[in-house]
Amino acid sequence: MSKYLLALDQGTSSSRSIVFDAQGRIVAMAQREFRQIYPQPGWVEHDPKEIWATQLATAQEALAKARLKAGDIASIGITNQRETTVVWNRRTGEPVYNAIVWQDRRAEPTCAALRARGLEESFKRKTGLIVDAYFSGTKLKWILDNVAGARAAAEAGELAFGTVDSWLMWQLTGGAVHATDVSNASRTLMLNVHTNTWDEELLKLLDVPVAVLPAVFPSSHVYGHTKAELLGASLPIGGVAGDQQSALFGQACFRSGLAKNTYGTGCFMLMHTGGQFQTSANGLITTSAAQPTGMPEFAFEGSVFIGGAVVQWLRDGLHAIQASGEVQQLAQSVPDSGGVLFVPAFTGLGAPYWKPEARGAIVGLTRGSTVAHIARAALESIAFQSAALLQAMSRDAVASGGAPVAELRVDGGACVNDLLMQFQADLLGIPVVRPQVIETTALGAAYLAGLSCGVYKSLDELAAQWQVERRFLPTLSRERAQELMQRWEHAVAQATL
């Protein structure tokens, strides 16, 4: 039996494909960036055709690099940027508009109107989410309301909506499959997460016809088979999960109380809460975890909108560095940030603040401040935002009778930065644990695909494969850490005047 798994990891700024062996080791990887489209302030779009082209190219390239034929692959797993919304014509396969990206804020007036009608509680009770422009349902409504002919075509059953996983599956199967998994569906404001079904009342409130929606399945499930000509053979698509739930799964956080933070374009912290649906009193959302079976499982989640993207801004906006990899050296050229604090609220602030009106601020500047201090403060901002999240998560855990988070498992591109990880441990006062395979988003998708085709027999088998590369232990006194967090909260207040 084939023992290799192909993960398609479709992210916000690039498409990647990774071939894993059955032990979860990377055999080959390919990556391509694609355009970010900014039509006006607060709007972010992608070209769906470019997403598909880059994803297919990397899949073909990864197989070639691994020197494997398609027949050597047991199954394909897909993980994707969540909430990003694509609407296309079922007959032609052509998108009716660009993909509206999760960071995009154009649907805020719709959200404000729903909140003004006192409907937030209905959404929260059924979806676990707050009413925010971040989620897909209001982006879908914007397309139906603003693209000429879209609403009439949708009501006639001619259009298909999907998050990026659905769009990729449609393309991979030549239009044979229009589906999604529970973890992606739970991010739309349209899924009742208690029953894992689309909710009629919520669809009515968002004015979305049910005909556009994909079928919803567990995360580990054989969705369909790829067209043979794409990769050289028809392969099963056996696992799908939104990127953050996929990373939680790849980090082997299968039981209540285990938490991970992914340091990518944004930062996303999830803590598994088991089969119990709990709501947060601290600004977090409740989301469906990746579900190997049809049984609902949940997680608390907090999203930092601008994480690693602050380093891109230092490179492309401020021209402080020429390549992202230079930031650690520049930040380490000074002993600390010299009192500078950087709140990177370029698109508002996510959890636990939820302040869409906030904007970026650099405070604490003196004549002695240098670009190195700003770089250090930019890196530290990622840790500060993540620490605020974990503190909120631990308060919720304790309130529901659990224990505070005892360690934080980390992954994503920026977790290789030792300075950042040490500062994170110092702020949190608990170990920060980096695994040997930091591509846990793709690994989670591969694991889900491997479970559905029998490469793996159980979650215990997967948990045994998780290996630690480095453990960062806190070195700062709790008093000093608390003092730093208070200064951070003061800076946040200044960014939301």
Side-chain angles (χ1 to χ4, degrees), residues 343-361:
V343 183
F346 301 143
T347 55
L349 285 170
Y353 306 105
W354 295 109
K355 296 194 171 175
E357 73 287 354
R359 287 297 172 262

Side-chain angles (χ1 to χ4, degrees), residues 213-370:
L213 301 176
V216 182
F217 295 105
S219 311
S220 184
H221 171 83
V222 180
Y223 289 79
H225 290 74
T226 64
K227 289 195 299 179
E229 62 267 28
L230 294 175
L231 297 170
S234 181
L235 297 173
I237 301 166
V240 176
D243 52 11
Q244 302 316 318
Q245 288 99 329
S246 191
L248 189 72
F249 200 82
Q251 286 275 34
C253 295
F254 303 138
R255 58 186 167 75
S256 187
L258 291 175
K260 70 90 202 173
N261 197 21
T262 298
Y263 297 81
T265 306
C267 286
F268 298 88
M269 191 178 291
L270 275 76
M271 180 179 79
H272 207 293
T273 59
Q276 285 298 106
F277 178 88
Q278 301 168 24
T279 52
S280 166
N282 292 287
L284 304 175
I285 55 178
T286 305
T287 197
S288 293
Q291 295 169 18
T293 67
M295 293 296 292
E297 292 180 41
F298 302 101
F300 278 141
E301 174 174 334
S303 310
V304 169
F305 293 156
I306 300 293
V310 74
V311 178
Q312 290 171 331
W313 182 79
L314 287 176
R315 182 191 68 191
D316 304 336
L318 205 59
H319 302 295
I321 49 175
Q322 291 196 303
S324 298
E326 295 169 17
V327 72
Q328 179 163 335
Q329 197 179 355
L330 180 59
Q332 277 180 318
S333 68
V334 287
D336 54 44
S337 70
V340 177
L341 284 157
F342 188 155
V343 183
F346 301 143
T347 55
L349 285 170
Y353 306 105
W354 295 109
K355 296 194 171 175
E357 73 287 354
R359 287 297 172 262
I362 301 175
V363 301
L365 293 169
T366 66
R367 281 293 296 272
S369 301
T370 66

Side-chain angles (χ1 to χ4, degrees), residues 98-157:
N98 274 341
I100 301 182
V101 180
W102 57 273
Q103 296 158 317
D104 188 285
R105 304 303 300 169
R106 78 186 68 187
E108 178 51 34
T110 297
C111 297
L114 289 167
R115 290 192 294 263
R117 287 168 61 194
L119 295 167
E120 181 145 47
E121 203 41 54
S122 289
F123 280 97
K124 193 168 189 179
R125 197 174 60 251
K126 290 182 170 188
T127 69
L129 310 177
I130 64 162
V131 174
D132 189 83
Y134 178 29
F135 304 110
S136 320
T138 54
K139 300 180 196 308
L140 169 57
K141 176 174 164 52
W142 187 93
I143 290 174
L144 297 181
D145 288 345
N146 290 277
V147 174
R151 183 165 289 286
E155 280 162 2

